[in-house]
Amino acid sequence: MCLNVDTASLQDLLIEIGDDEQFQPQPLTSGIHSAWLTEPMLCAAERLLDVMTQPRDARVLGPHIVREIIYYVLTGPIGGALLSLVSRQTQFSQIARALQRIENHFADNLSVDALAAEVNMSVSAFHHNFKAVTQTSPLQYLKRYRLHQARLLMLHDGLKASAAAVRVGYESPSQFSREFKRYFGVTPGDRGESGASDGGGPFRLTGSGSSPERDNVRPVSAGVSSRSPECCRTGRETVRPSAAPSESPSPDLYDV
């Protein structure tokens, strides 16, 4: 599942928290920061999965539950990462804007020069800061994001490999097949590849809109939570992290 962080909503949360002496997060401006999946977060995540089965519930209740999850992250040990996101002057925020651009326009002909210019950075500074935040280069991030989107189109929408390749921005189907095989370890035509390297998707916070719609949901890995708080049911999915699209999972973490 993917949750997008709306900076305006984040600012509203900060205003409501106000001058609370117990809320003093330090801005975090580099790298990938993971927060432990606490019982309150797990309860909220399960409620979000429940309400998303009904369109009206998702539309009315979903945004409030997303806000609750973001609140728990904001007031937790790595709340400073979200605090940095709302500051337009930080490099973290600039890279977040570039990530939003990539994820909203991944099928377009994006260049590093254009992305750097959009966030008012030199190309060298953009490369350096992008890698500090995502642990990968801009082009590698774009490539992996396209491959993940193509895989979802083939698995969920039944598209053929060539059609999925074009849909996500590849001009050469053969290049797409080579990169798909290199990344997932199987060819696009192998329908048994559903257990390939990513194994689904995690909760992921990115700096863009905040609507919990199905288009923003990726598969959650199957498993049984070791915790069974009163407000949650056992036997539900565990939540996995994703710093960059290629990183391997680690249970019970929440990525920002």
Side-chain angles (χ1 to χ4, degrees):
M1 179 181 292
C2 173
L3 300 183
N4 293 326
V5 180
D6 177 21
T7 53
S9 299
L10 195 54
Q11 289 170 334
D12 288 342
L13 271 175
L14 290 170
I15 292 173
E16 288 192 35
I17 292 173
D19 297 326
D20 189 331
E21 293 183 357
Q22 295 181 342
F23 179 68
Q24 299 292 334
Q26 296 299 314
L28 303 173
T29 59
S30 64
I32 303 297
H33 305 280
S34 297
W36 288 104
L37 181 64
T38 62
E39 289 186 0
M41 255 194 282
L42 178 60
C43 289
E46 290 198 336
R47 283 187 280 111
L48 181 61
L49 290 173
D50 288 338
V51 302
M52 290 183 66
T53 61
Q54 299 295 329
R56 184 179 62 194
D57 292 347
R59 176 170 50 84
V60 176
L61 302 177
H64 299 287
I65 302 176
V66 170
R67 176 184 170 89
E68 179 183 348
I69 293 172
I70 294 173
Y71 169 79
Y72 291 136
V73 178
L74 179 63
T75 56
I78 56 102
L82 290 181
L83 193 63
S84 295
L85 188 63
V86 300
S87 173
R88 294 291 181 182
Q89 304 305 316
T90 65
Q91 295 167 344
F92 185 99
S93 177
Q94 288 173 291
I95 299 304
R97 286 160 53 199
L99 290 173
Q100 179 181 353
R101 173 69 172 172
I102 290 173
E103 295 179 7
N104 289 340
H105 302 277
F106 61 87
D108 296 345
N109 185 21
L110 298 176
S111 70
V112 175
D113 288 358
L115 289 171
E118 285 189 22
V119 297
N120 298 316
M121 282 187 178
S122 68
V123 172
S124 60
F126 179 70
H127 263 285
H128 175 79
N129 289 294
F130 193 98
K131 193 165 186 177
V133 171
T134 67
Q135 307 301 308
T136 190
S137 70
L139 290 181
Q140 284 297 316
Y141 187 96
L142 174 60
K143 179 191 297 184
R144 293 167 184 172
Y145 195 85
R146 284 174 169 172
L147 290 173
H148 276 275
Q149 294 301 315
R151 180 176 179 270
L152 290 177
L153 288 172
M154 289 186 287
L155 288 176
H156 296 171
D157 298 347
L159 266 64
K160 293 183 178 180
S162 57
V166 172
R167 183 80 66 86
V168 300
Y170 276 87
E171 296 181 359
S172 169
S174 60
Q175 180 187 1
F176 169 74
S177 295
R178 287 194 303 272
E179 294 183 351
F180 192 98
K181 173 78 180 295
R182 187 181 303 120
Y183 184 60
F184 290 113
V186 293
T187 64
D190 184 355
R191 289 304 178 183
E193 62 85 27
S194 59
S197 66
D198 71 331
F203 278 118
R204 180 160 170 273
L205 297 183
T206 59
S208 54
S210 62
S211 175
E213 299 171 351
R214 287 194 175 275
D215 289 344
N216 285 333
V217 178
R218 302 174 188 168
V220 180
S221 61
V224 179
S225 171
S226 60
R227 291 178 286 275
S228 55
E230 191 172 309
C231 64
C232 303
R233 295 195 302 273
T234 58
R236 293 298 298 269
E237 295 84 355
T238 51
V239 181
R240 308 188 297 111
S242 172
S246 66
E247 293 194 355
S248 59
S250 171
D252 294 346
L253 291 176
Y254 201 128
D255 268 12
V256 177

